[in-house]
Amino acid sequence: MSGKYIISLDQGTTSSRTIIFDKNQNIIAKSQQEYPQIYPKPGWVEHNPQDIYNSQYSTAIDALLKADIDPRDVAAIGITNQRETTIIWDKDTGIPVYNAIVWQCRRTADMCEKLKKDREFAEYVRLNTGLLIDAYFSAAKIKWILDNVEGAREKAESGRLLFGTVDTWLVWKLTDGKVHITDCTNASRTMLFNINTLKWDKHILEVLNIPECMLPEVRNSSEIYGYTDKFGSKIPIAGIAGDQQAALFGQLCFDKGDVKNTYGTGNFILMNTGDKPSVSKNGLITTIASSIDGKVSYALEGSVFVGGAVIQWLRDEMRFFSSAKDADYLGSKLMSSEGVYFVPSFTGMGAPHWDMYARGAIYGLTRGTTREHIIRAALEAIAFQSMDVINAMAADTGNDIGTIKVDGGASVSAPIMQFQSDITGKRLIKPVIAETTALGAAFLAGLAVKLWKDTDELKNSWVLEKTYEPKMDREEAGRLIKGWNRAVQCTRMFTEQ
Ligand code: ADP
């Protein structure tokens, strides 16, 4: 193995990024490019697959130029990606038959509501894919394209169309159509992959009428899938994981019981549950954390739809301040929100409540309520929502969860992190490297080409930046939690007719 560097491609929902790491996990170069969001109708979200590839490719070239390294010194490429987003293209021409339908897109909500009515099928899906039937996952998006794009179904049935999540599309493009694969973590987000047998689920494919021949081959998260010659040298593509699973890996959550929380636009909490899938009784989903040398690790996952986005809302829509950083300052002027609670369920509630009829609400307003109270309540809401997911994980696994590893844009907020620690009574630890998602993909690729020998070699590399310890007394925490629970209760089902 001659190469010293790993190129990590991080294909996100609003931008494509590339980070080049060296063996010691130093960031050698970074590049980022936004690309257009397409909203054809309210609630619909699409991307042009060519934009996804082109923006990703140009950031990789840009990062390589900035790094000023010989491409022959690149050991491997790792890929991490927005999950569930669905692309279908013509096998011969490489041209997509429709835009990418993005994970956020709600166009298949009605289709999913109908599917859910068959309780037996819903339970089958839950036990075999780990997921709840929902428009987020790829399956209904594939069906929508086959049902709505003229000629698509016939072409798919005769083996002329290919489906892929974003990782699959990038690998196919980078290998000039030679390799049509995905990894277990991405497969586990399609609602078509059986997480027990580790095969595409024939029963679900039959019910949804999706031809198996269009699906990619499912591989490990860490292995050489193929080679690309698009960067001036023949480089192996050797690691893939969906963004949240990559972050879990990048946080070195390799052991059963390890938990990470990524605070971005939403909050994504994942717990490694070891080598057996654990089915939630508390509204969490089961997913594959990684698959290395055929050894699969599972995770429980809970997502909070509106996390840092509540701060964006106060900034852009309420115009309370001009930068997210100001929220920390203004919110910290008060020691508490003094009875004000903000439930930011703008698009309904995710885990563990799952209520699509809920909408955002602010409670406890008095004549003395100020802008600062509302900001403080918004910061606290980010932590309260994560607490609900963490409690559900603890209840599902019987694991008390001592420590939580944190990352993501809003994890720089000391008031949110301290309140999170206070309200859960748990220790939070934050690593020096904030780029855990890109790092996770780099680790997976580097392990496959033996830049790193094994996960034990990586374990020592997690470097602490900051710890948050609970300081609030438990009685006070209990009082605040009671108020939060009441606010959540009042918010549920608000728009149900
Ligand atoms: P994503 O990857 O989902 O786009 P990021 O990890 O970049 O998100 O995090 C951005 C989010 O973090 C935004 O929603 C922003 O409002 C929030 N955020 C950033 N800095 C702060 C801060 N100091 N305090 C509170 N929220 C913040």
Side-chain angles (χ1 to χ4, degrees), residues 14 262-266 307-309 311-312 315 324-325 327-328 379 382 408-410 412-413 416:
T14 55
T262 300
Y263 296 84
T265 311
I311 303 300
Q312 289 168 319
R315 184 192 62 193
K325 270 205 301 291
D328 293 344
L379 295 172
I382 296 174
V412 301
S413 165
I416 300 176

Side-chain angles (χ1 to χ4, degrees), residues 148-269:
N148 291 277
V149 175
E150 209 185 312
R153 181 167 296 286
E154 296 73 51
K155 276 178 91 176
E157 276 163 4
S158 61
R160 283 151 61 210
L161 294 188
L162 300 178
F163 153 76
T165 39
V166 168
D167 55 313
T168 309
W169 171 243
L170 293 177
V171 172
W172 196 84
K173 295 285 281 182
L174 288 169
T175 60
D176 284 322
K178 287 192 196 69
V179 180
H180 183 228
I181 55 106
T182 187
D183 90 299
C184 280
T185 68
N186 276 293
S188 74
R189 315 300 299 188
T190 58
M191 216 183 87
L192 298 174
F193 190 64
N194 190 310
I195 60 169
N196 305 309
T197 62
L198 304 177
K199 293 199 164 56
W200 296 117
D201 189 288
K202 293 205 187 308
H203 177 55
I204 301 175
L205 288 171
E206 201 179 292
V207 172
L208 297 184
N209 198 9
I210 295 174
E212 189 169 353
C213 60
M214 69 190 298
L215 305 181
E217 185 190 342
V218 183
R219 304 275 288 267
N220 286 305
S221 318
S222 176
E223 65 171 283
I224 296 177
Y225 313 106
Y227 293 82
T228 181
D229 55 10
K230 304 238 181 267
F231 302 105
S233 167
K234 192 175 162 212
I235 304 175
I237 306 172
I240 298 179
D243 52 11
Q244 297 312 321
Q245 283 92 338
L248 189 71
F249 205 80
Q251 283 273 26
L252 307 181
C253 292
F254 301 147
D255 295 326
K256 190 171 170 178
D258 289 349
V259 180
K260 73 93 196 173
N261 190 357
T262 300
Y263 296 84
T265 311
N267 304 342
F268 292 90
I269 303 124

Side-chain angles (χ1 to χ4, degrees), residues 103-176:
W103 57 273
Q104 295 157 319
C105 185
R106 302 304 295 169
R107 84 184 61 196
T108 53
D110 287 346
M111 185 200 294
C112 290
E113 282 309 305
K114 280 193 200 111
L115 285 169
K116 265 200 239 173
K117 291 217 169 89
D118 180 345
R119 292 274 180 90
E120 207 177 306
F121 182 62
E123 188 61 3
Y124 182 90
V125 168
R126 200 172 76 91
L127 292 176
N128 291 287
T129 69
L131 307 175
L132 304 162
I133 295 179
D134 193 277
Y136 282 106
F137 307 112
S138 316
K141 301 179 197 292
I142 301 176
K143 182 169 166 53
W144 189 93
I145 293 177
L146 296 181
D147 289 346
N148 291 277
V149 175
E150 209 185 312
R153 181 167 296 286
E154 296 73 51
K155 276 178 91 176
E157 276 163 4
S158 61
R160 283 151 61 210
L161 294 188
L162 300 178
F163 153 76
T165 39
V166 168
D167 55 313
T168 309
W169 171 243
L170 293 177
V171 172
W172 196 84
K173 295 285 281 182
L174 288 169
T175 60
D176 284 322

Side-chain angles (χ1 to χ4, degrees), residues 9-16 35-37 45-49 51-53 55-56 79-87 100-105 138 141 164-170 186 189 240-245 437:
L9 307 179
D10 179 357
Q11 208 302 308
T13 310
T14 55
S15 70
S16 296
Y35 63 95
Q37 306 291 312
V45 190
E46 297 178 1
H47 294 150
N48 180 334
D51 289 342
I52 290 179
Y53 177 73
S55 59
Q56 190 63 62
I79 297 178
T80 178
N81 55 286
Q82 52 166 318
R83 305 177 300 175
E84 298 112 13
T85 296
T86 296
I87 307 176
I101 303 186
V102 178
W103 57 273
Q104 295 157 319
C105 185
S138 316
K141 301 179 197 292
T165 39
V166 168
D167 55 313
T168 309
W169 171 243
L170 293 177
N186 276 293
R189 315 300 299 188
I240 298 179
D243 52 11
Q244 297 312 321
Q245 283 92 338
T437 307

